[in-house]
Amino acid sequence: MGFMRIHTAMTVESIATIWGRDGSTAGRLITKAVKSIGDAGKDLSILDITEEYLKKTIPQQYIDEGLDRCCAVPDGKDFKIYTTRRNTMFTRASYSDKVHASAVRCISWSTPHGLSFEHTDLFLGRVSEKKLVELWGPRLRKCPHGWYMLSDRGFFDTARFYPNMNHQKTPKFLSGRDQFTTDEISADRKICKLRYTCEVAFSRVTKTKGLRDVISNDFFPLLDAMNHWAHATVNLDAPLMQLRTAGAHRRSHHIPAQETNGQRPYVAGVLCRHRKSINGRPSPTISTHPTG
């Protein structure tokens, strides 16, 4: 019932009718189930990362561009909500200048490989991204000293909020000039090209239908739980970038890309084996052993 609620955005009354329960009983069961789903999602998306892990999973594309010391790609996302007229303070606090409507805001940190390892709770849209980084900064001690992040301009000058002072590589600013230099354009192109993984990650977040379009008010008690589970789905999908070792192996042996499809993929930072399920579709079993 909980998954039906967050993945189909069905009303409690519709789910109660399907399951043959009254609305109040279904509501209590759904709330309890979604909270448990959120706890599981939090365990799958709030993860510790180490320097050793980052070195082993840095994508070849980053190495080719000389960005092999990148530990994270932060990005902010606003989810639209309905504007309430009953409380003007709430209306002002929820206004987002990013989507120009009422919204709740979240910041997510993912590795270059596409592993979502940290995200904030959902806050009303008026709070700035820098303030959220300042609030959440102490939790990012997991980012190793001497590593940097690929960020957009909204995260400029936020390195001071991280315990290990992780530098933020952002696109350049015009600062009163008429145009950028060719060197600045070339450097910015590297950053923008490789930051696509965080955009894809957030597209996976919205696979949870309850977070799509405009979130209805009856989802408010479940927002953080849905947000945790939505970030977990990012890690349960296939990796966004090819691992360095697999990519290097393919190039050195001139193996076509399609011939590497049989390799066991990394999912949520661990190695998966494929076994055949009853209906003939492959389903993963997780192995914590580094060699499978």
Side-chain angles (χ1 to χ4, degrees):
M1 294 173 73
F3 279 116
M4 287 181 67
R5 176 76 169 127
I6 65 177
H7 280 302
T8 66
M10 294 175 63
T11 63
V12 174
E13 291 75 15
S14 298
I15 297 175
T17 302
I18 292 173
W19 288 84
R21 301 292 186 94
D22 62 271
S24 60
T25 301
R28 289 195 301 270
L29 293 174
I30 289 171
T31 299
K32 184 178 180 180
V34 173
K35 296 293 184 184
S36 297
I37 293 169
D39 290 340
K42 197 171 184 179
D43 290 337
L44 289 169
S45 59
I46 305 295
L47 307 169
D48 288 326
I49 57 172
T50 63
E51 188 167 1
E52 180 185 7
Y53 171 80
L54 291 170
K55 287 179 179 178
K56 287 184 177 180
T57 60
I58 190 74
Q60 188 64 39
Q61 295 96 315
Y62 278 72
I63 297 173
D64 294 342
E65 299 291 353
L67 297 171
D68 57 333
R69 298 287 289 178
C70 178
C71 66
V73 185
D75 194 34
K77 172 68 176 179
D78 286 6
F79 303 94
K80 289 183 179 180
I81 60 174
Y82 284 103
T83 302
T84 179
R85 303 299 181 186
R86 296 181 179 180
N87 189 313
T88 56
M89 182 180 295
F90 183 90
T91 302
R92 291 195 299 269
S94 61
Y95 180 78
S96 165
D97 55 3
K98 181 182 288 189
V99 297
H100 303 292
S102 295
V104 288
R105 177 167 293 174
C106 169
I107 294 179
S108 176
W109 288 264
S110 58
T111 66
H113 182 48
L115 177 75
S116 178
F117 66 89
E118 187 65 60
H119 60 271
T120 68
D121 292 336
L122 291 171
F123 293 83
L124 294 178
R126 192 173 181 85
V127 64
S128 67
E129 291 178 338
K130 287 187 177 181
K131 283 296 182 183
L132 288 182
V133 173
E134 182 179 2
L135 176 65
W136 232 252
R139 306 183 187 212
L140 275 298
R141 189 177 298 275
K142 63 184 79 174
C143 295
H145 178 74
W147 290 65
Y148 47 79
M149 302 184 186
L150 289 189
S151 310
D152 60 26
R153 292 186 179 92
F155 295 91
F156 176 74
D157 196 30
T158 58
R160 65 186 189 274
F161 299 135
Y162 294 94
N164 291 324
M165 297 290 291
N166 300 102
H167 175 62
Q168 306 292 301
K169 285 187 174 291
T170 65
K172 306 297 186 297
F173 291 86
L174 277 175
S175 302
R177 299 173 296 167
D178 292 332
Q179 63 183 21
F180 295 105
T181 66
T182 54
D183 290 340
E184 288 174 336
I185 294 174
S186 178
D188 289 351
R189 181 177 177 275
K190 294 180 182 179
I191 297 175
C192 297
K193 181 176 68 174
L194 295 175
R195 271 183 51 82
Y196 84 90
T197 53
C198 67
E199 304 295 341
V200 177
F202 265 124
S203 72
R204 292 180 173 183
V205 167
T206 53
K207 283 185 176 181
T208 303
K209 195 172 181 180
L211 295 174
R212 293 182 196 169
D213 303 323
V214 182
I215 302 172
S216 60
N217 295 336
D218 56 331
F219 273 112
F220 253 68
L222 311 175
L223 274 181
D224 279 329
M226 289 196 302
N227 187 41
H228 293 322
W229 178 251
H231 279 85
T233 61
V234 176
N235 294 338
L236 295 174
D237 279 349
L240 295 174
M241 280 196 173
Q242 184 72 41
L243 287 177
R244 176 181 59 178
T245 52
H249 174 78
R250 185 169 67 243
R251 284 192 300 277
S252 62
H253 292 79
H254 304 287
I255 302 174
Q258 63 268 23
E259 293 185 18
T260 65
N261 290 339
Q263 293 181 353
R264 291 170 290 180
Y266 282 87
V267 178
V270 294
L271 194 63
C272 284
R273 295 190 184 96
H274 283 293
R275 59 181 173 83
K276 203 167 186 180
S277 61
I278 296 175
N279 60 3
R281 298 178 63 185
S283 58
T285 58
I286 295 178
S287 168
T288 55
H289 193 282
T291 61

